[in-house]
Amino acid sequence: DQQAVAGLLEGLTAAVQGRSLMGLPDELFDAIESVAALPLAFRLRRGDAAAVGEAASSIKSQDVSELERLSLIRTLAESRVAESVSLLKAIAFQEPAIPDSLRVAALSGLGNFDDPSIGQLVVRSLPKLKGNLRSAALSLLSSRPAWTKLLLESIKAGHILPSEIPPDVVERVRQHREQDVRQIAARLLPPEVTPEVSLAGRVAAITDIVATGSGNPYEGRKIFLAKCSQCHRLFHDGGYLGPALTNYQRDNLSHLLRAITAPSEEIREGYAYFAVLTDDGRSLTGFIVDRDLSGLQLRTLDGETLSLVNEHIDEIVPLGKSLMPAGLLDELEPQQLRDFFAYLRIRQPIAAPATR
């Protein structure tokens, strides 16, 4: 019954939308293909080069939902069809009408392809990239040895300042599996030196500052959006990389301060940080959000979720620390601290969602 088959395919496509198709067995695709034409995402998963052009039209179309477009970009990357590289490059760098979420997904997806031109293009494009796009680009460059060397060359030439590199990327490069990369990184990316202040002393100092005056939650929201919202969600603002804060114990200032000033002291379940080394030389870091007999899904710093099958994983290393940097509050002036905690402890949202 063709109508029943069409309904089954529609339901199956909806069920896997936004998820990896890598774990689905080839036998399933064979069975579907024996009675009906495979949907686009499934044809991409099978490595059908002819489907790439069709995917390009859907990804660039504003009539297609963002979730479906994201799913197609991720499937393009996972399929590793050579024809996908030029399309992913175009999405990331050449299509101004493409939303940033899709551009980040394309950047992350390019990590699946060991192509020297990718690293060269990303390094050239860095000066034009801001916010999440820049973070995703730097994370991409640190994932493959050849690209990491290009990043270090750009730092040595003064095109990129060491202070502009996120701590996660710095640590990944400094602990690289290749000795020559580690040696160069040791010269160009010195470890951050933090003042020797006890946790109790830092908590007490900030508590005194917050207690000596009132804060403006509207100004505090601006600080939250700048420093925290890439990873954490509070009310209707922010991302999903770290724990959501809306229902967190935010009225307890001492508890909040300990969690912010010493984030690795107590890591919430499900947010342990891992390094994953692959058989094609990639070094990836993030949270393992799902794992089964076929592989795992790793949520990375740019908010993307990468699907990795076991046969391509060389090593999984628990890092035993939080992704959140310990010095998050160090650059804030006393009034900024009061504003920040005034916002962080409010019970109701005070503004419309931020435009990102």
Side-chain angles (χ1 to χ4, degrees):
D1 184 298
Q2 291 297 319
Q3 187 173 359
V5 171
L8 176 62
L9 285 177
E10 183 179 349
L12 185 57
T13 301
V16 300
Q17 194 170 92
R19 295 175 174 269
S20 171
L21 300 180
M22 297 305 292
L24 297 179
D26 287 334
E27 291 80 6
L28 174 61
F29 296 105
D30 292 336
I32 295 173
E33 201 167 20
S34 68
V35 294
L38 285 172
L40 175 58
F42 291 73
R43 283 184 278 131
L44 290 171
R45 162 63 178 81
R46 300 217 80 173
D48 183 351
V52 174
E54 189 178 338
S57 298
S58 295
I59 291 167
K60 295 174 185 178
S61 172
Q62 296 185 6
D63 295 330
V64 178
S65 73
E66 186 169 328
L67 177 60
E68 186 175 348
R69 295 157 80 188
L70 279 169
S71 182
L72 286 173
I73 290 171
R74 291 164 181 159
T75 304
L76 271 170
E78 290 173 2
S79 67
R80 304 195 185 196
V81 178
E83 290 80 2
S84 299
V85 173
S86 59
L87 175 55
L88 291 171
K89 286 180 180 178
I91 295 166
F93 299 108
Q94 300 168 13
E95 296 288 342
I98 292 285
D100 279 0
S101 60
L102 272 63
R103 296 177 68 191
V104 167
L107 271 171
S108 181
L110 284 168
N112 285 293
F113 301 89
D114 190 6
D115 182 338
S117 69
I118 293 173
Q120 294 162 4
L121 174 61
V122 175
V123 166
R124 289 197 307 269
S125 303
L126 268 176
K128 299 178 290 186
L129 302 179
K130 307 296 180 185
N132 288 351
L133 285 172
R134 186 175 179 84
S135 297
L138 290 168
S139 183
L140 176 65
L141 288 172
S142 66
S143 66
R144 288 187 180 274
W147 303 348
T148 303
K149 291 174 183 177
L150 288 175
L151 174 61
L152 291 172
E153 287 172 8
S154 190
I155 294 171
K156 184 178 181 179
H159 301 313
I160 303 172
L161 297 176
S163 59
E164 297 175 341
I165 310 299
D168 169 75
V169 173
V170 170
E171 184 166 351
R172 193 189 311 175
V173 175
R174 284 178 55 82
Q175 297 183 2
H176 202 276
R177 66 170 82 180
E178 294 196 5
Q179 183 178 2
D180 58 338
V181 173
R182 294 197 303 272
Q183 290 173 341
I184 298 170
R187 295 195 299 270
L188 298 177
L189 300 172
E192 183 179 2
V193 178
T194 56
E196 291 293 330
V197 179
S198 70
L199 173 59
R202 183 66 174 138
V203 168
I206 297 177
T207 300
D208 288 344
I209 290 171
V210 173
T212 56
S214 60
N216 181 341
Y218 291 92
E219 292 299 317
R221 179 172 178 263
K222 295 176 185 177
I223 298 170
F224 172 84
L225 293 176
K227 285 186 168 287
C228 311
S229 65
Q230 181 179 341
C231 298
H232 296 284
R233 191 167 187 83
L234 178 55
F235 302 121
H236 40 224
D237 289 324
Y240 298 94
L241 183 61
L245 301 179
T246 305
N247 295 320
Y248 191 66
Q249 190 180 356
R250 292 181 289 111
D251 56 341
N252 187 324
L253 180 60
S254 176
H255 185 75
L256 267 181
L257 280 171
R258 292 185 70 87
I260 295 172
T261 55
S264 295
E265 187 180 71
E266 183 180 342
I267 300 174
R268 289 175 63 177
E269 184 178 357
Y271 292 95
Y273 205 42
F274 289 87
V276 179
L277 309 179
T278 67
D279 63 352
D280 61 351
R282 284 191 294 166
S283 173
L284 307 167
T285 53
F287 307 117
I288 296 176
V289 294
D290 193 17
R291 192 172 186 180
D292 57 27
L293 294 177
S294 65
L296 60 82
Q297 291 189 312
L298 187 77
R299 183 165 296 148
T300 58
L301 180 61
D302 53 26
E304 278 298 296
T305 301
L306 304 180
S307 298
L308 303 166
V309 294
N310 285 332
E311 63 186 277
H312 295 312
I313 297 174
D314 273 353
E315 191 176 2
I316 301 173
V317 182
L319 298 179
K321 70 180 190 70
S322 170
L323 171 62
M324 193 166 112
L328 190 67
L329 304 178
D330 291 351
E331 297 177 357
L332 297 183
E333 299 293 333
Q335 187 55 49
Q336 289 179 309
L337 286 168
R338 297 184 193 105
D339 295 341
F340 177 65
F341 284 101
Y343 176 66
L344 208 57
R345 293 189 288 169
I346 61 173
R347 296 182 178 275
Q348 299 294 331
I350 57 174
T355 301
R356 300 179 67 82

